[in-house]
């Protein structure tokens, strides 16, 4: 299935709103004007009257062609690095956040949660669940970022470049939701193990100890009983993460950054990426927090359903641990986008600019100048 998705995206004929480089060598027609590329070091050529594809010379050093299988694989690698490392780095805060959600009587605040956890288990106890966190979120990052790029090109192909520009927010939402659907299937087993280790005293100290115990107690369902609430948490989160980031990035370059993106150095572009990521992360934390609370409580409570847990917690209980999650998710999201974009720079991958109105649409609407 993934192979067919990659092939369909690779063969897309409507990549222009999101394309910054194409490594296929070709000579533009003499009458075709050259336009600045995504990072100010490329040129654009017109392949048909209504479709512009950016083209980069081999000397510019791009390691792959936009939309190729190689490109999508490298995007997946960037997702592994960005998600796996960042989630593992904040395991202590995640542990306290989960304990605040499932046992607010014992863990009354973030500071109190750290104090109690340190008193009972020491510094090493704050790293509980690091292994399933690293494995699970690396797998999730692979699917989240890699498939987002695939679906974004596929859906652009389906609706055409003009509609892709006009309805780009909907395009980002659809592509990210589709990618996260598969990403959560990859994440669910490790997420269940992580929460079990962190919130059930005496259950297990390591992943190797937790997996056989969970299988013996509840079978394979132990690893996927939280999948639906995980979808409820992660799909809205990811939709906000990608759509808010893409549009915020566009607005920052349009209204805040004092010079065009093409004139910014790669370092300056990464700073803008981090800022857009943090803004997106705050909104991500808010929209996905109630479902996150249900997931944490569900994996602690044996035999309970998501609806049972939600009723037990009540409306106020669903928002327990929100502030530490805003700090955690805001920082995580910003760091993930920064790392993901930095990986693209390091691997010399094409980096699409904020979308611009296609020439064909400009002619239809009578628009002049950049939009």
């Amino acid at each position: 299935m993934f192979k067919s998705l990659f092939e369909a995206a690779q063969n897309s004929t409507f990549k222009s709103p999101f394309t910054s480089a194409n490594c296929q060598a070709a000579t533009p027609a003499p009458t075709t004007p050259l336009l600045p590329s995504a990072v100010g070091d490329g040129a654009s050529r017109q392949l048909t009257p209504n479709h512009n594809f950016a083209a980069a010379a081999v000397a510019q050093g791009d390691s792959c062609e936009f939309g190729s299988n190689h490109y999508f694989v490298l995007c997946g690698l960037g997702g592994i690095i960005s998600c796996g490392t960042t989630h593992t780095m904040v395991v202590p805060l995640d542990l306290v956040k989960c304990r605040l959600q499932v046992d607010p009587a014992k863990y009354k605040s973030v500071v109190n949660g750290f104090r109690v956890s340190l008193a009972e288990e020491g510094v090493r106890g704050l790293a509980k669940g690091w292994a399933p966190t690293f494995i699970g979120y690396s797998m999730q990052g692979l699917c989240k970022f890699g498939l987002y790029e695939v679906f974004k090109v596929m859906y652009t192909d389906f609706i055409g470049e003009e509609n892709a520009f006009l309805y780009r927010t909907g395009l980002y939402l659809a592509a990210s939701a589709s990618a996260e659907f598969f990403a959560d299937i990859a994440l669910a087993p490790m997420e269940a193990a992580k929460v079990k280790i962190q919130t059930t005293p005496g259950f297990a100290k390591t992943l190797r100890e937790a997996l056989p115990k969970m299988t013996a107690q509840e079978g394979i369902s132990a690893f996927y009983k939280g999948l639906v609430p995980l979808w409820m948490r992660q799909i809205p989160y990811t939709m906000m993460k990608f759509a808010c980031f893409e549009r915020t990035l566009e607005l920052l370059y349009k209204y805040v950054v004092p010079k065009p993106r093409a004139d910014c150095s790669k370092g300056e572009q990464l700073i803008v990426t981090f800022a857009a990521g943090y803004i997106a992360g705050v909104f991500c934390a808010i929209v996905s927090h109630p479902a996150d609370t249900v997931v944490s409580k569900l994996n602690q409570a044996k035999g309970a359903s998501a609806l049972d847990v939600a009723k037990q917690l009540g409306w106020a209980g669903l928002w327990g641990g929100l502030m530490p999650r805003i700090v955690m998710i805001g920082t995580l999201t910003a760091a993930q986008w920064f790392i993901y974009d930095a990986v693209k720079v390091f691997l010399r991958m094409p980096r699409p600019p904020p979308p611009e109105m296609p020439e064909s649409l400009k002619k239809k609407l009578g628009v002049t100048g950049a939009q």
Side-chain angles (χ1 to χ4, degrees), residues 204-221:
K205 294 182 178 180
T206 65
L207 179 62
R208 286 183 297 177
E209 185 182 352
L211 293 180
K213 283 188 175 182
M214 293 174 69
T215 304
Q217 290 182 1
E218 301 180 70
I220 195 68
S221 63

Side-chain angles (χ1 to χ4, degrees), residues 23 27 44 85 117 126 153 185 187 249 262 274 323 332-333 366 371:
C23 298
T27 303
S44 182
T85 56
S117 298
L126 293 178
V153 174
I185 295 174
L187 170 64
L249 194 69
F274 184 86
M323 287 311 298
L332 268 178
T333 304
Q371 295 295 318

Side-chain angles (χ1 to χ4, degrees), residues 6-16 53 67 150 152-158:
F6 283 128
E7 290 175 350
Q10 183 181 8
N11 295 327
S12 169
T13 58
F14 298 103
K15 294 185 245 179
S16 61
F53 285 73
V150 172
K152 189 164 69 169
V153 174
M154 282 183 61
Y155 294 159
T156 301
D157 184 14
F158 181 73

